[in-house]
Amino acid sequence: MTSIDIVDLSSDDECGELHLKAVKSEPPVVGNRIQQEESKFQQKLQSETQFKRQESEENRSSNVLSTGQSCSSILDQGHSPVDDSSLSSTSPTCPAPLCRQFWKAGNYNDGLGSKVSLQNGKNYLLVHPMFLHSNATSHKWAFGAVAELLDNAVDEIRNGATFVVVDKTTNPRDGSPALLIQDDGGGMDPEAMRQCMSFGFSDKKSKSAIGQYGNGFKTSTMRLGADVIVFSCHTSNRILTQSIGLLSYTFLTRTGHDRIVVPMVDYKFNTSTGTREILRAKEHFMSNLSIMLQWSPFSTESELLKQFDDIGPHGTKVIIYNLWFNADGDVELDFESDPQDIRISGESKRIETLHAWKATNEQHIANQFHYSLRVYLSILYLRVPQTFNIILRGRVVEHHNIADDLKFPEFILYRPQCGGCIEGQVITTIGFLKEAPQVSFHGFNVYHKNRLILPFWQVVSYSDSRGRGVVGVLQAEFIEPTHNKQDFERTSLFQKLESRLKEMTLEYWDYHCGLIGYQVKKKLRAPELLQISSHSKHSPAIGSAKAGLVISEQLIPKSQFGSKHGLLEKRKEHVDLIEVERAKRMAVEVANVTDAGYNQEIQPLVTAGNQPKDQEAVNLLQENKKLRAKCLQYEKREEELKFKVTHIKIAIEEVYREYNRMLGELESLETVKEENKV
């Protein structure tokens, strides 16, 4: 056999039931390494690597790129290089990738992949290692790749996860920085680990699960660095398994592989005796371990096993190393500028605005999230359970609700339709940023399944300041995100949403721009021409902290902005424009809005002639506050119930484990009784 003894991607020895007896090993090292045999193996490895580069593809063995579908493994034809399972790498350093810049790392050509090899007279699909790079290019932004990995941890909340850690760690081989992401979720058993390393496998059946395509782990890790090693612990039926998988773009390219292969090793840990047993075939285990020790950051098996110490009975640890460089030759992820943050290397985006407002714009969340991971993670999820924490570099990320930054908010109901059928409904919170008019940011923050997909999406390109400072927040479940979760599929429903949000922005601006100091350019109809409708008391008003109004989509039909009375046509005939404006202004007065620069713009609104109507507005506001308080109580109650459910699930698992333990003891006693009878 001419190829290196290594497992094809997710194939290992799954194709046949070997039923080999497990080999017991004492932690942290399985046994003593035999130096002479290890040296022979290293020489064999080097000679085989050179031979691989010269041989044609017909001499290579290939497997199906799927879980459990291949009928033979490369290892089935090979020989175990050493008899002892304790190995260490003789290489002083883990080789770095051929190119350290991500956008150039795919430009290599070793003459591989030009043919399709045959195995047992059949054609098999080969996925070239270059696909790992091209697949990762879907992430144009490094933080988008980090968010993918956090989504996996957030999806584990249903399995009892209480935290996810994002931090810097060090590659012990050369002292270079590496990225650590670790959670205490349910972890992965050996089969789940193989699915994680494969393409297109996803066991996330819940409608609330963020992940669904089975591709995020590969794209995100390969976008951040050339190599990743994964450690995962999983406990089921009182059986603890520990699995390690290595996905190394460096290894595949430097050894000239023409297909994606992933070495994996699995252990079964006996908690009572503190011993580990090797799962699957020993020769598979030996070869895979040898490759890991040469190409991972850890040069001995004891160093590998030590990574499980802080995981516990369940959880997953991901270490991404050989991080990519930017065009300036610096590591793309900057760990040095802020010891409590991770930033994108390079200068922050310069904002063209008045000098007096420059600092406000540069420090605003709408600008900082591009370069600060802490800021981005603070808005990444619309809601975060109180029982779950995102810990970035040792400090908990404080959740930030963008809707709380809005003044003069309104809540607008939109019911998207397709083919005459209503696809759902979404309530959009829209208002001015609290720093307006000093800030130049605007746009909508669109979430899907609680996850931010489009931050500050600019649906209008404002000219003459129209739309400046107007920001919205909504959760759209009726449209599907792209694979990198940084955009939505451009369907007809998406296009309709974009058009509606554009209308919403311009309409809101035209009605409210005067409240923050801008000149109202469109003239409104004179008050004496508008009579108070007897139905005005039925105008909707759902409360908010700043006394905004809820306007139904039915009350704001689409209209032409070019018409002379376009603004008036956007309200139903029973809603008096002046009454709406007066109610809004009174809301500002009652809420004691003290934003800088605003009080000078507000003029006294209460006169002897309109006191009854103003009193009605005040009553509505008071009712708003009561409804808002009830809403907050319900939300708090919901979180408490979710927390209670989580603890009940944990308690049930503990009872189930105790039940299995007692059942095992009972069976043992029955066996003893039978023996005594005999």
Side-chain angles (χ1 to χ4, degrees), residues 413-427 448 475-480 491-497:
L413 177 64
Y414 171 56
R415 294 188 178 93
Q417 296 186 12
C418 183
C421 299
I422 297 178
E423 296 293 330
Q425 66 180 25
V426 56
I427 298 178
H448 179 82
Q475 181 162 240
E477 305 294 347
F478 56 91
I479 49 181
E480 289 296 326
T491 62
S492 59
L493 279 174
F494 178 83
Q495 294 171 355
K496 290 179 180 179
L497 174 64

Side-chain angles (χ1 to χ4, degrees), residues 24 64 84 137 184 218 227 259 369 485 567-568 672:
K24 288 190 176 182
V64 180
D84 196 292
T137 57
D184 66 338
K218 278 73 66 177
D227 311 288
R259 64 203 178 283
F369 84 88
K485 297 187 183 71
L567 289 177
L568 298 180
V672 172

Side-chain angles (χ1 to χ4, degrees), residues 1-12:
M1 170 170 147
T2 61
S3 61
I4 299 175
D5 288 337
I6 185 171
V7 179
D8 262 287
L9 179 59
S10 293
S11 63
D12 204 350

